[in-house]
Amino acid sequence: MADLSCTIAGIPSLNPFWLASAPPTDKKVNVTRAFRAGWGGVVWKTLGIDPPVVNVSSRYGVHHDTNRQALGINNIELISDRPLAVNLQEIRECRAEFPDHVIIGSMMAPIEERAWKELAVRIAEAGVHGLELNLGCPHGMCERGMGSAIGQVPEMVEQVTRWVKQAVGIPVFTKLTPNITNILWSAEAAKRGGADAVSLINTVNSIVSVDLDAMAPTPVVDGKGTHGGYCGSAVKPIALNMVAEIARNPFTADLEISGIGGITTWRDAAEFIALGANGVQVCTAAMLYGFRVVEDMADGLSQWMDEKGLTSLSQLHRMAVPNVVNWNDLNMAYDVKARINPDLCIECGRCYIACEDTSHQAITMTDLGNGRKRLEVIDDECVGCNLCSITCPVPDCITFDRVDAGTESVTWPDHPLNPQRLVAAE
Amino acid sequence: MTHSVPFLPVISADGHPLTAAQIEQNFSDLHPCLTDLQAMAESNRCLYCYDAPCVTACPTSIDIPGFIRRISTGNPDGAARTILSSNILGGTCARVCPTEVLCQQACVRNRAEDAPVEIGRLQRYAVDHLLDNTAAAYPFARAAETGRRVAVVGAGPAGLACAHALAVNGHSVTIFEARPKPGGLNEYGLAAYKMTGDFARREVDFVLAVGGIQIEYGRALGTDLTLDVLRQDYDAVFLGIGLGDTNALGLVGEDKAGVVDAIDFIAGLRQSEDLAGYCSAASVVVIGGGNTAIDAAVQAKRLGAEEVTLVYRRGPQQMGATAYEQDLAATNGVVVRHWAKPVEIKGNGHVEGLVFERTRLDGGRLTETGRRFEISADLVLKAIGQSLAPAALSGLTLKGGKIVVDETGQTTLPGVYAGGDCIASGQDLTVQAVEDGKRAAKAIHAALSASQR
Ligand SMILES: Cc1cc2nc3c(=O)[nH]c(=O)nc-3n(C[C@H](O)[C@H](O)[C@H](O)COP(=O)(O)OP(=O)(O)OC[C@H]3O[C@@H](n4cnc5c(N)ncnc54)[C@H](O)[C@@H]3O)c2cc1C
Ligand SMILES: Cc1cc2nc3c(=O)[nH]c(=O)nc-3n(C[C@H](O)[C@H](O)[C@H](O)COP(=O)(O)O)c2cc1C
Ligand code: SF4
Ligand code: SF4
Ligand code: SF4
């Protein structure tokens, strides 16, 4: 089996699977169970300056699909609501009991140099392998000038990172908020501040649902709700893009990345690593299914790596990064047409109606008279949009054939129909 | 998917007859209503097909993907309205339709998974939800009174469906029903474990709640009503009289005590207030191979009969009962014997047994083999088919023992329409009767709208 051990920001880890700073890493009892279940590391629930925060009751909301699967959840919890000393004592105990497992201390403070430095030193003294700076919490803490209130201002991201780097000698992870126009602004700021790695993403600002009886956003706290941090499967696409942007941006390409956001399966983890993550963090998947989800994450990842002939994660790391390009670099001569496999097709008609109503009227549905139907693609109409294969309930039933010669390559800047090009040529 | 619990009868634990409580348990729901959780899971299996084959396979063309989607989004009453707008007896159909040969057979989920969406059970979930929801508004508004009057003969599924659709269109309907209760075979014929809790009556009440429909009970065409009079007094007539007669075995001794029509046995059972006292027969023989035979046999077994043998003169493929129903008989401990026909009824006054002769197919013809066997019986249930009671139908053209109608449901007498089991529209099924009633109502409404007063 492929070797899943790895190094993140210079910290060796048994595997790339860490639990993100959140309730799963809130206390010694959780962390102990997590390490026993197979997680390589944890980022301890964010610590702040005493007195500890106080949380409300009714804390999480959910975006369900019609089958009650949680697409994503949000939360309005604050940082650790236990005294700092208690947390630090438990970190010490866990470090002693699990010397091979990684513990990162997550921290947050108001935008004051002394506050950040003193807290960083205290946590570092508890023996953590590194520090993660929580600049992302998009609810509650930001109203107190912390969390995303800092993470949304690149100058502050840089400043805070620099303060902590000056205070401690251990690796520093700057955790980025996705609630920002361009992730590169804060990633670059973190790098300028001296971060060893960036962790992303923190939660996405959200209202997951409105309770139509209470007429209030969920979770409803005595008749009222507030925006909260969204996470889980639904945010993975947002996170992947942000990770890729950092990985392919020359100035940040060498920043180490702890990929976070919706990671639920080994495949998700493989995708993050291929796009530049050195390791991954998981929160929601563990919250929904328990710590045992790591078993298949590890097993499935190494199984897949074996099939691909990959022996270590360093080989997988960044494998897909060179293929992430700007739209303007795509080959416009590339032409694919949908192909429907009649042996797999169950004749549900979804591809037909999807294409007919909302795409390019490129699928015909012929009644064969014997209760059966034949679905076929009209090549001349098909633009290769993929919608049919997306809506098709049968895997691999609709595939795509490349129909251009495969010899020509033309990008938009060079395309004959590009008016800018004509202007430039004149 | 949600599998039905095997529907097994309680067998006596001590050799004594079943207790009343055990018999009651034996007549609980064949397929109980799905729970909310089951309905959520099952409705999410539906692919929301476009031009869905299940819809085509439903004789009443219910918008199946449309109603299942409404269940999945938490709109079960909307689902029920979708169902009822195509099939006003959607509640009964959900309980009794042989879905395995109708909608569910056509479901695309069979293609790759061999497991259709449980359309029937979802349909029941939705309709029951609406009927149980006392706060829900009645889903049909009657058009303004047209002043037109239509006579419907028979308050079975065909007559009720026709009457409801006509009433919605503002016509006034009088239903003449021979029996003391409405519903036809919904009330008197369908298996008790499919129609628990007086559902037939509740559903009729729901149909009548639209307004504009009156039922006159104890009024039989041919006895105190004639077609001529109805045609004079009403703007149109619909006949939904089902099949009133039963076929006889044609054997000596058929009049012995204990030899009865399965239809009557079931009707008595459906109306019985005391199931434990209804039937004390220990050895029951059922003759026939259709729905009725299976229902009679299974219900006899569930009443506590020790031996129930169903004898059919042909093989399983030729049986009118679907494979599912044959399985139901087998799992209920009914012994099914194929390729034999009764030739002699034994007993003095009361039947004691039957002599059968083995049959076989020779060049497509059923022949006798001369080999005989005997089965003892203290109750013989005849289920070898029903036929139209012709008495009152003078003036109508019949073919193959059924009333001839055109594609709108009109008989050869202008203004007289017919539907359900009394015509040859398809299989003799509740859902087909509903469709026939609907179709005739449409034609009647069109004719009345077109004609001058
Ligand atoms: C035992 C049995 C089990 C069945 N099980 C199923 C099943 O599981 N699923 C299924 O889909 N179908 C089943 N069927 C078939 C189904 O019940 C019929 O197809 C359906 O009831 C036909 O409806 P209808 O309205 O045509 O006739 P009926 O239901 O027979 O109704 C006819 C009505 O007309 C009345 N009537 C008759 N003659 C006169 C007259 N001269 N004057 C006034 N009123 C009259 C009758 O009293 C009755 O109320 C079963 C049938 C039987 C007999
Ligand atoms: C209930 C809850 C509390 C969280 N608390 C913190 C926190 O204290 N500090 C932090 O950096 N991130 C916090 N997060 C964000 C997670 O660490 C993680 O970045 C985010 O949930 C995305 O990952 P996921 O999709 O795997 O859940 C919290 C998330 C949840 C659901
Ligand atoms: S998971 Fe449920 S039981 Fe546990 S603390 Fe939360 S609300 Fe209470
Ligand atoms: S969506 Fe897929 S299964 Fe359905 S008709 Fe189209 S090709 Fe066939
Ligand atoms: S065929 Fe099956 S999956 Fe398709 S709409 Fe009908 S019930 Fe749903």
Side-chain angles (χ1 to χ4, degrees):
Chain A
M1 294 289 254
D3 177 15
L4 294 186
S5 66
C6 57
T7 304
I8 308 166
I11 304 163
S13 180
L14 296 167
N15 63 41
F17 304 110
W18 292 1
L19 284 165
S21 173
T25 64
D26 193 34
K27 300 185 289 293
K28 181 182 175 187
V29 56
N30 307 111
V31 169
T32 306
R33 290 175 64 84
F35 286 159
R36 295 212 173 101
W39 294 88
V42 300
V43 183
W44 203 273
K45 173 73 181 171
T46 301
L47 305 176
I49 297 163
D50 284 340
V53 300
V54 179
N55 274 302
V56 295
S57 182
S58 193
R59 302 178 181 184
Y60 308 147
V62 63
H63 179 32
H64 272 143
D65 70 8
T66 57
N67 210 9
R68 237 189 117 72
Q69 293 292 316
L71 301 169
I73 65 173
N74 84 352
N75 80 90
I76 55 171
E77 266 179 358
L78 307 178
I79 58 175
S80 174
D81 54 12
R82 305 186 311 152
L84 181 61
V86 173
N87 279 301
L88 296 181
Q89 177 55 29
E90 290 187 3
I91 289 175
R92 278 190 194 93
E93 289 167 15
C94 288
R95 280 291 291 122
E97 271 178 56
F98 297 91
D100 299 333
H101 290 72
V102 177
I103 299 181
I104 306 291
S106 168
M107 60 176 291
M108 165 186 293
I111 187 85
E112 286 164 24
E113 181 169 357
R114 240 188 64 191
W116 279 94
K117 287 188 164 168
E118 282 180 12
L119 184 59
V121 168
R122 279 197 71 187
I123 300 172
E125 282 170 359
V128 295
H129 293 87
L131 284 175
E132 187 177 85
L133 317 183
N134 176 351
L135 309 182
C137 189
H139 49 265
M141 299 313 294
C142 55
E143 294 175 21
R144 303 174 195 182
M146 294 182 254
S148 63
I150 295 176
Q152 285 169 336
V153 183
E155 293 72 21
M156 292 190 189
V157 172
E158 180 178 340
Q159 184 63 271
V160 165
T161 307
R162 182 168 296 120
W163 287 338
V164 176
K165 277 302 282 185
Q166 287 166 353
V168 297
I170 53 179
V172 171
F173 297 65
T174 303
K175 185 167 179 181
L176 306 181
T177 172
N179 302 302
I180 178 168
T181 324
N182 183 345
I183 196 67
L184 292 180
W185 297 343
S186 40
E188 288 178 356
K191 177 159 181 195
R192 282 194 298 273
D196 299 274
V198 283
S199 305
L200 74 158
I201 56 173
N202 208 310
T203 54
V204 180
N205 215 348
S206 65
I207 289 178
V208 279
S209 72
V210 174
D211 181 324
L212 290 178
D213 296 316
M215 274 300 157
T218 64
V220 181
V221 180
D222 193 19
K224 307 257 188 274
T226 183
H227 58 91
Y230 192 44
C231 51
S233 284
V235 308
K236 177 191 132 185
I238 298 167
L240 275 181
N241 174 53
M242 291 183 166
V243 166
E245 286 301 293
I246 294 169
R248 74 191 186 95
N249 173 46
F251 181 65
T252 48
D254 62 346
L255 256 183
E256 300 240 338
I257 298 175
S258 185
I260 320 171
I263 295 163
T264 310
T265 67
W266 60 265
R267 190 178 286 276
D268 297 332
E271 292 174 16
F272 272 85
I273 295 168
L275 279 183
N278 299 75
V280 296
Q281 297 182 33
V282 175
C283 166
T284 306
M287 288 180 71
L288 293 175
Y289 306 113
F291 292 143
R292 64 211 157 118
V293 283
V294 75
E295 293 165 16
D296 178 59
M297 285 184 182
D299 187 53
L301 181 59
S302 50
Q303 167 70 32
W304 172 82
M305 287 173 64
D306 287 352
E307 283 165 23
K308 289 282 176 191
L310 299 170
T311 52
S312 80
L313 286 176
S314 56
Q315 293 171 335
L316 171 60
H317 182 230
R318 293 182 68 89
M319 257 182 129
V321 175
N323 294 328
V324 184
V325 297
N326 288 344
W327 196 95
N328 265 350
D329 296 322
L330 297 173
N331 178 9
M332 307 201 70
Y334 181 71
D335 194 7
V336 293
K337 304 293 178 194
R339 293 286 171 259
I340 298 174
N341 181 340
D343 297 332
L344 293 179
C345 173
I346 60 171
E347 298 158 30
C348 70
R350 272 171 53 166
C351 57
Y352 167 79
I353 198 60
C355 190
E356 192 68 15
D357 276 357
T358 70
S359 198
H360 292 79
Q361 298 77 44
I363 296 179
T364 57
M365 184 162 74
T366 315
D367 197 331
L368 299 180
N370 54 356
R372 304 297 301 268
K373 291 177 185 136
R374 188 172 55 227
L375 290 112
E376 283 168 312
V377 175
I378 310 167
D379 274 12
D380 285 348
E381 304 297 337
C382 174
V383 300
C385 75
N386 296 348
L387 180 63
C388 54
S389 70
I390 288 169
T391 193
C392 178
V394 183
D396 303 325
C397 176
I398 303 184
T399 51
F400 289 86
D401 266 6
R402 183 168 187 173
V403 296
D404 67 309
T407 48
E408 197 197 346
S409 181
V410 55
T411 61
W412 181 241
D414 299 328
H415 198 278
L417 295 179
N418 181 349
Q420 262 86 45
R421 170 184 165 275
L422 293 180
V423 170
E426 270 162 17
Chain B
M1 66 180 282
T2 48
H3 288 279
S4 52
V5 201
F7 188 64
L8 303 176
V10 178
I11 306 289
S12 171
D14 53 9
H16 289 278
L18 295 181
T19 63
Q22 286 171 323
I23 292 179
E24 192 182 323
Q25 195 183 332
N26 270 345
F27 283 87
S28 61
D29 237 317
L30 171 59
H31 295 300
C33 191
L34 296 178
T35 62
D36 292 346
L37 182 57
Q38 288 173 319
M40 178 184 75
E42 194 59 18
S43 61
N44 273 282
R45 293 188 64 241
C46 175
L47 296 169
Y48 197 50
C49 297
Y50 179 74
D51 191 19
C54 54
V55 178
T56 316
C58 170
T60 55
S61 308
I62 292 173
D63 176 5
I64 293 165
F67 95 71
I68 296 181
R69 182 162 184 85
R70 284 169 172 79
I71 294 177
S72 76
T73 65
N75 180 14
D77 289 343
R81 284 193 298 273
T82 305
I83 294 160
L84 297 169
S85 67
S86 290
N87 181 335
I88 188 65
L89 300 189
T92 290
C93 289
R95 289 164 164 78
V96 308
C97 270
T99 52
E100 63 277 15
V101 296
L102 298 171
C103 52
Q104 288 181 200
Q105 185 185 46
C107 176
V108 303
R109 282 272 190 206
N110 286 310
R111 293 260 157 77
E113 296 158 83
D114 217 9
V117 174
E118 299 234 32
I119 301 168
R121 298 190 73 184
L122 286 167
Q123 180 170 321
R124 169 166 178 188
Y125 172 82
V127 175
D128 282 14
H129 194 280
L130 180 72
L131 262 54
D132 290 344
N133 182 357
T134 46
Y138 192 72
F140 299 92
R142 246 193 116 198
E145 286 270 1
T146 61
R148 295 305 188 83
R149 299 166 65 239
V150 181
V152 168
V153 186
L160 289 168
C162 184
H164 187 267
L166 289 168
V168 166
N169 281 314
H171 308 300
S172 297
V173 181
T174 305
I175 304 183
F176 298 98
E177 167 55 54
R179 302 186 94 143
K181 281 186 178 181
L185 291 172
N186 291 5
E187 176 64 46
Y188 292 99
L190 300 172
Y193 44 74
K194 293 181 185 171
M195 296 290 284
T196 54
D198 210 15
F199 183 75
R201 188 54 197 247
R202 283 183 67 205
E203 188 177 50
V204 171
D205 291 344
F206 176 80
V207 171
L208 299 182
V210 70
I213 305 174
Q214 275 202 354
I215 307 188
E216 297 191 9
Y217 296 104
R219 301 291 305 274
L221 185 70
T223 310
D224 61 346
L225 280 174
T226 66
L227 256 185
D228 283 347
V229 170
L230 289 179
R231 290 180 74 201
Q232 272 166 29
D233 292 356
Y234 291 87
D235 295 303
V237 179
F238 175 79
L239 302 176
I241 53 176
L243 298 171
D245 273 0
T246 50
N247 298 335
L249 296 169
L251 295 179
V252 183
E254 206 164 331
D255 56 351
K256 282 194 208 307
V259 181
V260 299
D261 279 327
I263 288 280
D264 295 335
F265 171 77
I266 294 169
L269 168 72
R270 285 292 308 273
Q271 299 306 311
S272 170
E273 303 274 296
D274 167 30
L275 286 183
Y278 180 62
C279 174
S280 56
S283 302
V284 180
V285 170
V286 182
I287 299 168
N291 251 337
T292 308
I294 299 273
D295 285 3
V298 171
Q299 288 176 108
K301 188 76 197 173
R302 301 185 84 88
L303 282 168
E306 288 158 15
E307 324 281 348
V308 177
T309 312
L310 186 153
V311 188
Y312 179 52
R313 61 188 177 143
R314 295 171 191 267
Q317 286 83 23
Q318 288 92 348
M319 275 191 158
T322 64
Y324 170 79
E325 286 161 340
Q326 297 184 41
D327 287 351
L328 192 64
T331 52
N332 274 271
V334 172
V335 177
V336 181
R337 302 188 66 163
H338 300 102
W339 301 111
K341 62 176 247 190
V343 289
E344 194 186 330
I345 299 176
K346 295 205 150 183
N348 279 326
H350 197 283
V351 64
E352 285 169 12
L354 285 174
V355 181
F356 291 88
E357 177 157 347
R358 295 208 167 274
T359 54
R360 67 178 183 211
L361 275 183
D362 283 317
R365 275 198 54 234
L366 196 69
T367 57
E368 290 153 17
T369 60
R371 287 158 48 226
R372 296 192 166 193
F373 64 90
E374 203 177 317
I375 304 178
S376 61
D378 45 14
L379 178 64
V380 174
L381 299 174
K382 299 182 288 178
I384 55 168
Q386 293 133 258
S387 57
L388 196 56
L393 304 174
S394 62
L396 295 178
T397 308
L398 305 188
K399 196 176 155 211
K402 299 229 176 182
I403 301 171
V404 173
V405 294
D406 65 13
E407 66 290 343
T408 70
Q410 188 165 221
T411 68
T412 47
L413 276 182
V416 178
Y417 297 75
D421 285 358
C422 65
I423 69 165
S425 57
Q427 288 160 290
D428 286 349
L429 294 175
T430 310
V431 65
Q432 184 62 50
V434 171
E435 178 61 16
D436 291 348
K438 221 174 93 186
R439 173 183 69 166
K442 199 173 159 203
I444 293 170
H445 175 60
L448 295 184
S449 308
S451 69
Q452 297 296 322
R453 306 219 39 188

